[in-house]
Amino acid sequence: MSGPTPTLPAYGGGSLADVLPSVAGALSVPGEQNQLGLPQASRYAVLLLDGLGWNLLRRHPELAPYLSSLQARPLTAGVPSTTATSLTSLGTGLPPGAHGIVGYSAIVPETGALLNALAWDAPVDPRRWQPHPTVFERVAAAGVATRNVSKARFDKSGLTAAAFRGSAHRGADTIEDRLDATRFASREGSSSLVYVYDSQLDYIGHMQGCESWQWRKELTAADSFAQRVRSALPRDAVLVVVADHGMVDIAPENRIDLDADPTLSDGVRLIGGESRFRHLYCVPGAEPYVAERYRELLGDQALVLCRSEAVERDWFGPVEERVAPRIGDVVVAALGPVALVASTRFPQEAGLIGVHGSLTEDEMAIPLLVDAG
């Protein structure tokens, strides 16, 4: 196939899943490996700026002078390059095939329902859905004061339980609240790890596009916030800034509506994922037909693979037996400037300008930025 080349996840030493285990190693937590070579310290803060792709930051250094001044290297997100999957990889130190949150939405094999992992809108126990210990649990067990600073409503969410259990949640709905919570939490105990999450850049990107003046303005605000987080920390603390994915803008005329063409639902019993990375759950035996139909439709604008092919290509890392049925029978990863929307099933998503989830460099490459004070 010609066309764009996918950016493959660098699990095991260059991905988002490697960040917190490396932080734990840098904090001298027994048994943890500092694969990313982070500086040794007794206090760490990890700030995740949702949607800050490596390429987006490099295109606009003048709008983010603080972030652009830091020691930097690119990492990759996992597959798909989306928030729920990435946050769980961050929190657990595992690729999606192990932690099991394989997309924005995915099937619950036991019931046939669709679980939206951000809303956690199906009756699924997050501790059974994602049973592995988190890095936060391991760090806290070693005596490190471990805190999670994000919006108050995230405290009781299923995603927080799956990805961040083991960290004490500090609800903070404003910038000032987040800075105050970070200032306090970073000084607890003799050793501390504080995780801080901010979603505004991603929100503006979805609504206005990552090429918009509104997004550029928000990048400057994110840069200022990151610098204020650094100022709130003790002098001997290390700040690490990361992201969960990048973003691309898709023009309305390049949005293919799966609900407008009945042939695109032939053999498909459930559609999951999101517009740049679709999980298609098929009627038994229909997988070859569905895959061929989507290949004919998309050509070199997308990679269309059966589940076994995606697993063989290590898109999700090693896939545990309980996780495999959550992956689509057919997966569709957009590489060209197209989005597969479903206007009836997911009307809110169909109007987004900035999107992500697939394996392009713009979506997969994320920054690792380090400020050791």
Side-chain angles (χ1 to χ4, degrees):
M1 175 184 290
S2 60
T5 301
T7 295
L8 299 178
Y11 302 128
S15 79
L16 182 61
D18 302 305
V19 171
L20 279 187
S22 294
V23 169
L27 287 166
S28 301
V29 173
E32 301 290 343
Q33 299 299 313
N34 184 1
Q35 295 233 8
L36 297 177
L38 299 175
Q40 294 293 127
S42 60
R43 300 188 184 278
Y44 257 84
V46 176
L47 169 62
L48 189 139
L49 296 174
D50 196 323
L52 180 63
W54 171 258
N55 287 352
L56 287 168
L57 179 61
R58 293 183 73 198
R59 284 176 203 144
H60 303 289
E62 76 286 355
L63 300 178
Y66 170 66
L67 293 173
S68 298
S69 74
L70 300 183
Q71 177 186 335
R73 61 171 284 193
L75 302 175
T76 72
V79 177
S81 53
T82 197
T83 299
T85 301
S86 288
L87 294 189
T88 313
S89 286
L90 176 72
T92 62
L94 297 170
H99 65 61
I101 295 182
V102 297
Y104 172 71
S105 62
I107 197 171
V108 181
E110 295 79 7
T111 66
L114 195 66
L115 171 66
N116 179 317
L118 289 183
W120 213 267
D121 55 357
V124 173
D125 181 350
R127 291 163 182 80
R128 291 175 62 87
W129 192 254
Q130 194 302 97
H132 295 283
T134 69
V135 181
F136 293 104
E137 288 177 306
R138 303 199 302 263
V139 168
V144 178
T146 307
R147 305 292 179 253
N148 168 8
V149 177
S150 60
K151 291 181 179 179
R153 63 186 174 87
F154 295 153
D155 184 20
K156 304 300 183 183
S157 79
L159 183 60
T160 296
F164 300 126
R165 58 180 180 263
S167 62
H169 189 264
R170 297 282 185 260
D173 289 337
T174 69
I175 287 176
E176 295 303 327
D177 287 346
R178 278 175 220 144
L179 293 170
D180 286 345
T182 300
R183 187 176 294 109
F184 176 81
S186 64
R187 289 165 172 79
E188 290 187 88
S190 59
S191 182
S192 60
L193 168 60
V194 184
Y195 165 69
V196 186
Y197 172 75
D198 189 86
S199 63
Q200 192 63 16
L201 198 64
D202 179 72
Y203 174 78
I204 295 296
H206 281 311
M207 295 298 108
Q208 306 294 338
C210 60
E211 303 297 335
S212 67
W213 68 264
Q214 294 96 329
W215 190 93
R216 294 193 293 273
K217 180 180 178 182
E218 188 56 40
L219 175 59
T220 297
D223 186 72
S224 173
F225 176 63
Q227 189 165 24
R228 293 181 72 189
V229 169
R230 170 68 259 185
S231 297
L233 301 175
R235 191 169 298 177
D236 62 346
V238 176
L239 173 65
V240 171
V241 183
V242 293
D244 51 349
H245 54 75
M247 187 172 281
V248 294
D249 288 353
I250 303 297
E253 61 269 22
N254 291 331
R255 298 172 197 162
I256 299 170
D257 189 352
L258 305 185
D259 288 333
D261 183 348
T263 70
L264 295 176
S265 294
D266 287 348
V268 177
R269 59 192 174 100
L270 193 66
I271 294 176
E274 58 199 286
S275 68
R276 292 283 291 174
F277 192 96
R278 282 290 175 210
H279 291 285
L280 304 178
Y281 303 97
C282 300
V283 175
E287 294 92 333
Y289 164 78
V290 171
E292 185 58 30
R293 176 72 183 92
Y294 277 78
R295 289 184 186 122
E296 290 174 355
L297 172 71
L298 295 164
D300 64 2
Q301 297 298 297
L303 277 173
V304 181
L305 303 180
C306 293
R307 177 192 297 149
S308 60
E309 295 174 309
V311 171
E312 287 170 6
R313 296 189 187 198
D314 207 33
W315 280 10
F316 305 97
V319 176
E320 296 183 3
E321 185 177 353
R322 67 186 175 83
V323 174
R326 303 177 191 175
I327 299 168
D329 298 298
V330 174
V331 293
V332 184
L335 296 183
V338 297
L340 302 180
V341 303
S343 61
T344 301
R345 293 175 176 91
F346 314 116
Q348 184 176 8
E349 182 193 32
L352 300 180
I353 299 172
V355 288
H356 52 80
S358 195
L359 288 85
T360 67
E361 185 180 57
D362 280 346
E363 293 160 278
M364 286 288 288
I366 56 173
L368 175 69
L369 311 173
V370 180
D371 188 338

